Each structure stands twice: as structure tokens, then as C-alpha cells.
Amino acid sequence: MYKLTLTTAKKLLEIAEQSARQMGLNSDVAIVDEGGNLIAFHRMDNARIAGIDIAIGKAWTSVAMQMPTANLAQSALPGGATFGINTTNQGKLVILGGGIPLVHEGRVVGGIGVSGGTSAQDIDVANAAVQAFENMRSNEIQYANARIGTVKQSFTY
């Protein structure tokens, strides 16, 4: 069973920050485990204070709902299939884009939440970290499956 570590979470924060900087954003970024518990958080200089709870909420929601938070936005509108869902769980569900679950072997093992730009920008920043997470997992599997005598490129986390 895979467990999201602090080391991996820190690497994902670095990647998210790099992506946010490239977009000219000052973002708040949260990484949570499979239970929605905070593992790591990073607030870039000049990021909004309100973004702290929003980023954490997006990460938690992505794990709790096992889907990107952007998937909830449309259906949560008045008349939508899940209208009012953001009032459940003591108001903890965040329906703004920027929360994405981290999945390993088909199982949600954590989530990332980003706040600092538009929902589309937050999704892009989160996706950069998600892609890196998927690449890390792929590299681990390749490394573990390497035969003695085969040459593999080194990788870092």
C-alpha cells in the first residue's frame, strides 16, 4: 500500500510554486493525505491570507469527493444536480477549481489544493504537481522492475 510522504509532498510544493511563478501568481498550496489530513503547506510571498483555508479546503474536498473540485462547480450551480453541496460537511466542501486528488494504482492517496489565481490558473498549477506525482510513481515502478545489469537513468524527487 502506497503512503504519501512528506518528502514527496515537499517536492510537489516545489513544482507547484515553480508553475505558479511562471504564471506570475502568488499561490497558497496544500498537500493532504488519503484522509484529508494536511501533510504540507506553502504560502508564497504576498499570497492572499484567505487562500490558506481555500487551498486546504480544495485539497480536502478532492480527497473527500475523490474527484477534482472543478467537477463540482457546474453541478453545484442553482438547478444543478449537486446544488447546495458546498453547505454540507460544516461548509468544508470547496467547489472552486484547483483541488485534484493524487491517485496511485487507482486509489486516492492524497490531494493537492491551490489558491492564488483564477480557477483555471489554480487547476493548471495543481496539474503541474499532479503530473510530476504521476511521473514519480512511474519512475519508481520502472526502477523497481529493473533487472540486474540494466542501466536506468537516475531520477530525483
Side-chain angles (χ1 to χ4, degrees):
M1 179 190 281
Y2 178 81
K3 180 86 170 155
L4 190 60
T5 65
L6 178 59
T7 300
T8 298
K10 286 179 177 180
K11 181 64 175 171
L12 298 178
L13 291 177
E14 285 178 34
I15 291 162
E17 179 180 0
Q18 180 181 31
S19 177
R21 280 192 194 288
Q22 289 172 350
M23 297 172 70
L25 301 173
N26 298 315
S27 296
D28 295 287
V29 184
I31 307 288
V32 299
D33 66 13
E34 74 280 0
N37 303 297
L38 187 64
I39 296 175
F41 180 84
H42 182 70
R43 180 173 174 250
M44 294 173 65
D45 291 341
N46 302 313
R48 293 183 188 108
I49 294 169
I52 295 168
D53 285 340
I54 295 168
I56 294 169
K58 287 178 181 184
W60 182 87
T61 300
S62 75
V63 170
M65 297 299 292
Q66 299 185 357
M67 68 174 69
T69 55
N71 291 9
L72 297 169
Q74 191 66 32
S75 67
L77 292 173
T82 60
F83 176 67
I85 194 167
N86 56 308
T87 64
T88 67
N89 294 278
Q90 294 81 40
K92 197 171 180 179
L93 282 175
V94 177
I95 60 171
L96 304 169
I100 303 175
L102 299 169
V103 179
H104 178 67
E105 296 180 352
R107 191 174 141 267
V108 174
V109 296
I112 182 169
V114 178
S115 180
T118 64
S119 284
Q121 290 170 322
D122 290 349
I123 291 166
D124 287 345
V125 172
N127 271 328
V130 170
Q131 184 63 52
F133 178 74
E134 290 171 359
N135 290 341
M136 286 179 205
R137 304 286 63 81
S138 176
N139 286 338
E140 272 185 4
I141 292 165
Q142 288 174 5
Y143 183 75
N145 291 335
R147 296 180 183 183
I148 296 175
T150 46
V151 177
K152 290 286 181 180
Q153 290 182 330
S154 62
F155 55 93
T156 59
Y157 301 40

